[in-house]
């Protein structure tokens, strides 16, 4: 339960307060300083991108720079400031928001796509506007213990949320498979996505209940509803605590098949709790949030990466930590911020494609992981692999890195396991061949589903047909697991206790899930018979539709651990 804080459509509205007419010159001065700083930032970004990608890509910043000093915008601001008599950031925000609305309505896809660039400039200027020393904000919205309601949150926005002030969030767009939702789970933040008309229909300051388990937002709840939710919350917390108590029990099925239960990790603050959670190491470390963090300091160099990875390896020792190399692009953080957006980012420049086209940057990460492997147990895997050429390319660079480290006299684990993510149908089809090149597979069910049945994992309009149990997806998974190398599941499907029997039955040797799901998946595995799961999976693989597959697995789950439902 908390107060709702509604964020405006495009980026967080700045605090608003009234000013006196004589304060206007000082407001302009603050604004001019912010414009100059933004100009410097954009120029330096432009130079950076020019160096990495060339002049064409960097030209986008010319458009940003032009917009920064746009006469129409500045003219409007000049007119509005004396009439509104509010602090300059809130007037500038309103003027630019209006401008973006107009652009959105234009019947020209190119112009419409420019809205994102304008939003970026707006955010930069707002960030660079230093608070006025004499201004005591009078009308600040409540920021403590709020439930954030926003049109959209990017993974970067989500990673930046201050957990001490935000109880949870709800968005108008998004889907449960998006990286925004995955990050919310890692942060332990309740979140509800795809709520139509959220921003228009809700008001800041309204009391609200956010139920992240069932995906419900209740605005202005009655006393009775509040009471019901207070009880429900206490019950859920108690049940969870009981599950956590079993964290030291091995994840073996009733008939003795061991399933490695590992953690998916996104943030450094999770390192400490991994051991305590009882995870058998880390099955997926999504390094992109560390490498492309939104602090604006740029990509950490080899040394900084090595230090960071070493800390994680030591924290998890003796268990293995699987580092997934940079998976930029798609719906995640872009590799080169503010560069022209791609039309089909999910099919574009992401994952291993980015790394292979930037070998020097890729090799920094490979060397850093190799060096970290000397301090415990590390593994490495490559994301978004679509076929053998990428695997060969990545392995060649890895070998070069090993050689370079030997020359430098730096140690690493010569036997470090190397694997690939199976999340592109073409790779799953070729699993038998790819198996000769790597030590393990890790199935990314989020992307494998997205690509197999052509359903954008982020688009809320098609979220209801995103089915991980689509027979096509399940058959590709089975094919992958039959290829003869250990195969993990690291997509969100691994945390769905109705589907754990199917995964175990098809032959998964490892399940890696967000830390909060470990306790419940542990209990599920311990109550399953591998032989029963196998028999059920055989039937599921003959099924014609996703509902039948889900129902077969769910029935066995319900029979094996009714207490978890
Ligand atoms: C996946 O695609 O299932 C996966 C685990 O990778 P990510 O969600 O980071 O794309
Ligand atoms: Mg993926």
């Amino acid at each position: 339960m908390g107060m709702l804080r509604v964020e405006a459509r495009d980026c967080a509205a700045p605090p608003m307060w009234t000013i006196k007419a004589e304060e206007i010159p000082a407001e302009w001065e603050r604004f001019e300083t912010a414009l100059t700083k933004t100009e410097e930032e954009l120029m330096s970004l432009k130079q950076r991108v020019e160096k990495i990608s060339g002049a064409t890509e960097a030209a986008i910043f010319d458009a940003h720079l032009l917009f920064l000093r746009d006469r129409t915008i500045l003219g409007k601001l000049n007119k509005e400031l004396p009439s509104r008599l509010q602090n300059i950031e809130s007037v500038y925000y309103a003027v630019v928001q209006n401008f973006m609305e107009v652009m959105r309505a234009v019947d020209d896809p190119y112009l419409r796509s420019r809205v994102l660039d304008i939003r970026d400039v707006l955010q930069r200027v707002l960030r660079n506007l230093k608070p006025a020393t004499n201004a005591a904000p009078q009308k600040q919205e409540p920021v403590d213990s709020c439930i954030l309601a926003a049109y959209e949150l990017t993974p970067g926005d989500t990673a930046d949320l201050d957990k001490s002030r935000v109880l949870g969030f709800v968005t108008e767009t998004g889907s449960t498979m998006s990286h925004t939702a995955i990050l919310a789970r890692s942060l332990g933040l309740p979140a509800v996505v795809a709520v139509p008309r959220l921003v228009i229909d809700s008001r800041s300051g309204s009391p609200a209940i956010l139920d992240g388990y069932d995906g419900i937002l209740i605005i202005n709840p009655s006393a009775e509803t509040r009471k019901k939710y207070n009880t429900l919350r206490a019950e859920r917390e108690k049940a969870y605590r009981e599950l956590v108590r079993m964290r030291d029990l091995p994840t073996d099925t009733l008939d003795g098949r061991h399933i490695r239960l590992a953690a998916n990790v996104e943030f450094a603050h999770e390192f400490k709790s991994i051991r305590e959670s009882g995870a058998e190491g880390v099955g997926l470390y999504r390094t992109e949030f560390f490498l492309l963090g939104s602090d604006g300091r740029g990509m950490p160099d080899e040394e900084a990466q090595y230090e960071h990875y070493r800390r994680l390896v030591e924290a998890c020792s003796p268990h293995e930590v699987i580092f997934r190399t940079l998976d930029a692009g798609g719906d995640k953080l872009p590799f080169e911020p503010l560069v022209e957006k791609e039309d089909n980012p999910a099919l574009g420049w992401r994952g291993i494609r980015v790394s292979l086209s930037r070998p020097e940057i890729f090799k920094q990460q490979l060397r850093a992981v190799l060096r970290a492997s000397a301090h415990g147990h590390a593994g490495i895997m490559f994301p978004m692999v679509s076929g053998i050429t990428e695997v060969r390319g990545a392995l060649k660079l890895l070998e070069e890195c090993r050689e370079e480290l030997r020359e430098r006299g730096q140690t690493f684990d010569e036997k470090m396991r190397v694997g690939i993510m199976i999340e592109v149908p073409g790779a799953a089809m070729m699993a038998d061949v790819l198996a000769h090149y790597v030590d393990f597979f890790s199935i990314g069910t989020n992307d494998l589903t997205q690509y197999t049945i052509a359903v954008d994992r982020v688009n809320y309009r098609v979220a209801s047909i995103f089915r991980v149990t689509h027979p096509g997806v399940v058959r590709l998974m089975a094919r992958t697991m039959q290829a003869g190398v250990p195969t993990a599941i690291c997509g969100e499907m691994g945390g769905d206790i109705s589907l754990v029997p199917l995964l175990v039955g098809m032959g998964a040797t490892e399940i890696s899930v967000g830390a909060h799901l470990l306790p419940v998946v542990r209990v599920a595995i311990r109550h399953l018979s591998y032989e029963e799961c196998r028999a059920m999976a055989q039937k599921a693989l003959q099924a014609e539709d996703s509902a039948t597959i889900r129902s077969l697995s769910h029935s066995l789950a319900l029979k094996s651990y009714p207490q978890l439902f």
Side-chain angles (χ1 to χ4, degrees):
M1 170 87 190
M3 286 294 181
L4 210 57
R5 181 157 69 98
V6 182
E7 298 272 280
R9 194 176 171 91
D10 284 293
C11 72
M16 187 223 291
W17 63 91
T18 49
I19 56 166
K20 297 194 191 88
E22 56 268 29
E23 286 169 334
I24 290 179
E27 289 296 278
W28 272 113
E29 210 178 300
R30 273 195 321 121
F31 189 65
E32 184 49 46
T33 313
L35 289 190
T36 310
K37 177 133 194 269
T38 308
E39 221 152 36
E40 285 164 10
E41 276 177 14
L42 289 170
M43 290 299 293
S44 108
L45 262 174
K46 185 180 163 189
Q47 281 161 8
R48 230 180 76 205
V49 172
E50 206 161 72
K51 241 193 259 154
I52 307 175
S53 304
T56 318
E57 264 91 354
I60 184 73
F61 296 105
D62 293 330
H64 285 68
L65 286 160
L66 276 179
F67 180 75
L68 190 65
R69 299 274 180 191
D70 185 272
R71 279 164 177 246
T72 323
I73 298 287
L74 296 184
K76 273 213 161 0
L77 188 58
N78 200 10
K79 231 168 97 193
E80 296 275 323
L81 195 60
S83 69
R84 290 191 189 216
L85 285 181
Q86 288 165 347
N87 57 315
I88 199 153
E89 43 273 80
S90 66
V91 183
Y92 177 67
Y93 177 79
V95 168
V96 178
Q97 285 287 337
N98 276 340
F99 187 79
M100 288 195 284
E101 283 307 319
V102 174
M103 295 275 284
R104 271 200 195 90
V106 175
D107 192 18
D108 176 338
Y110 174 76
L111 280 182
R112 278 206 306 273
S113 72
R114 296 269 69 85
V115 170
L116 285 174
D117 301 324
I118 297 175
R119 175 190 144 146
D120 283 325
V121 175
L122 170 65
Q123 279 177 323
R124 268 176 202 286
V125 174
L126 291 180
R127 207 173 47 228
N128 288 332
L129 262 162
K130 291 265 177 322
T133 43
N134 59 346
Q138 293 164 8
K139 272 189 68 184
Q140 281 246 33
E141 304 222 24
V143 288
D144 286 327
S145 303
C146 66
I147 295 168
L148 193 63
Y151 177 73
E152 172 184 41
L153 286 181
T154 64
D157 296 335
T158 312
D160 282 346
L161 287 179
D162 178 353
K163 258 192 83 175
S164 64
R165 297 160 99 192
V166 176
L167 297 171
F169 68 80
V170 48
T171 58
E172 203 164 308
T173 59
S175 84
T176 53
M177 291 297 149
S178 68
H179 286 95
T180 298
I182 291 172
L183 288 185
R185 291 193 272 272
S186 320
L187 290 165
L189 276 178
V192 173
V193 295
V195 178
R197 295 180 57 85
L198 171 74
V199 172
I200 291 180
D201 287 349
S202 39
R203 296 273 162 275
S204 279
S206 315
I209 291 173
L210 185 72
D211 176 357
Y213 284 90
D214 294 330
I216 297 172
L217 170 75
I218 305 170
I219 300 178
N220 296 322
S222 66
E224 201 185 329
T225 308
R226 286 181 197 206
K227 202 167 147 211
K228 181 183 130 195
Y229 269 92
N230 279 338
T231 314
L232 192 61
R233 182 175 165 168
E235 281 169 9
R236 281 172 175 163
E237 282 173 1
K238 183 163 172 262
Y240 189 75
R241 277 198 304 274
E242 272 161 22
L243 291 176
V244 169
R245 259 192 238 126
M246 292 180 237
R247 67 181 162 221
D248 295 326
L249 300 179
T251 43
D252 295 338
T253 62
L254 295 169
D255 42 358
R257 179 169 165 94
H258 181 65
I259 309 287
R260 180 191 183 213
L261 179 61
N264 287 353
V265 171
E266 279 80 39
F267 300 112
H269 72 252
E270 296 177 277
F271 294 4
K272 249 190 4 236
S273 53
I274 296 167
R275 278 182 81 94
E276 290 154 25
S277 71
E280 223 179 300
V282 173
L284 165 65
Y285 178 35
R286 290 183 163 99
T287 58
E288 47 276 9
F289 299 101
F290 160 61
L291 293 177
L292 306 174
S294 52
D295 60 6
R297 269 184 286 139
M299 177 102 74
D301 62 13
E302 179 186 323
E303 215 46 41
Q305 288 188 48
Y306 159 64
E307 279 304 320
H308 180 84
Y309 301 154
R310 182 179 59 77
R311 276 199 304 123
L312 179 53
V313 167
E314 285 174 350
C316 291
S317 182
H319 298 306
E320 186 184 30
V321 178
I322 308 279
F323 292 90
R324 180 177 72 182
T325 59
L326 178 69
D327 188 13
D331 73 311
K332 294 186 225 197
L333 309 174
F335 178 63
E336 284 159 9
L338 302 183
V339 168
E340 188 82 35
K341 304 280 183 291
E342 297 178 299
D343 280 343
N344 291 304
L347 304 182
W349 199 48
R350 69 167 285 201
I352 192 71
R353 300 167 187 186
V354 173
S355 296
L356 289 174
S357 60
R358 297 285 183 269
E360 283 318 311
I361 293 175
F362 187 33
K363 284 175 72 177
Q364 275 187 7
Q365 182 171 31
L366 297 178
R367 284 191 300 263
V369 173
L370 279 167
R371 288 171 60 194
S373 73
H375 299 270
H377 195 177
I380 198 163
M381 67 179 174
F382 309 119
M384 274 294 291
V385 166
S386 62
I388 193 75
T389 314
E390 290 153 345
V391 177
R392 286 191 186 125
L395 292 179
K396 180 170 171 281
L397 293 175
L398 186 62
E399 194 43 48
E400 279 176 27
C401 291
R402 288 196 187 99
E403 203 44 55
E404 283 158 16
L405 293 184
R406 284 183 200 114
E407 273 165 26
R408 286 190 206 164
Q410 282 170 326
T411 52
F412 59 91
D413 176 6
E414 295 274 356
K415 293 206 183 87
M416 183 181 79
R417 292 202 310 153
V418 181
I420 53 172
M421 298 272 299
I422 298 288
E423 44 189 354
V424 176
M429 288 301 293
M430 294 300 290
D432 53 333
V433 174
L434 298 173
H436 297 301
Y437 290 76
V438 293
D439 302 310
F440 67 93
F441 293 146
S442 189
I443 303 182
T445 53
N446 312 332
D447 278 318
L448 185 63
T449 307
Q450 153 164 274
Y451 296 124
T452 304
I453 58 173
V455 178
D456 182 350
R457 64 192 269 191
V458 190
N459 185 339
Y460 67 100
R461 290 192 182 88
V462 289
S464 63
I465 53 169
F466 187 97
R467 303 245 160 79
V468 288
T469 50
H470 184 292
V473 179
V474 171
R475 286 181 184 205
L476 285 174
M477 292 175 70
R479 190 184 172 93
T480 305
M481 292 187 220
Q482 284 153 12
V485 291
T487 302
I489 308 296
C490 67
E492 297 305 285
M493 184 181 183
D496 183 339
I497 52 165
S498 290
L499 300 179
V500 172
L502 180 66
L503 301 177
V504 171
M506 285 195 293
T509 53
E510 170 184 332
I511 296 179
S512 189
V513 293
H516 63 294
L517 285 167
L518 286 163
V520 68
V521 177
R522 159 171 290 103
V523 173
I525 294 171
R526 291 177 52 78
H527 284 81
L528 286 172
S529 140
Y530 173 54
E531 283 311 321
E532 259 185 311
C533 292
R534 255 167 52 113
M536 182 276 297
Q538 289 311 320
K539 273 198 216 151
L541 285 165
Q542 301 311 315
E544 290 183 356
D545 56 66
S546 66
T548 308
I549 296 179
R550 179 170 276 278
S551 149
L552 281 166
S553 184
H554 177 74
S555 301
L556 184 51
L558 199 58
K559 182 186 131 207
S560 310
Y561 35 83
Q563 73 278 23
L564 294 184
F565 288 94

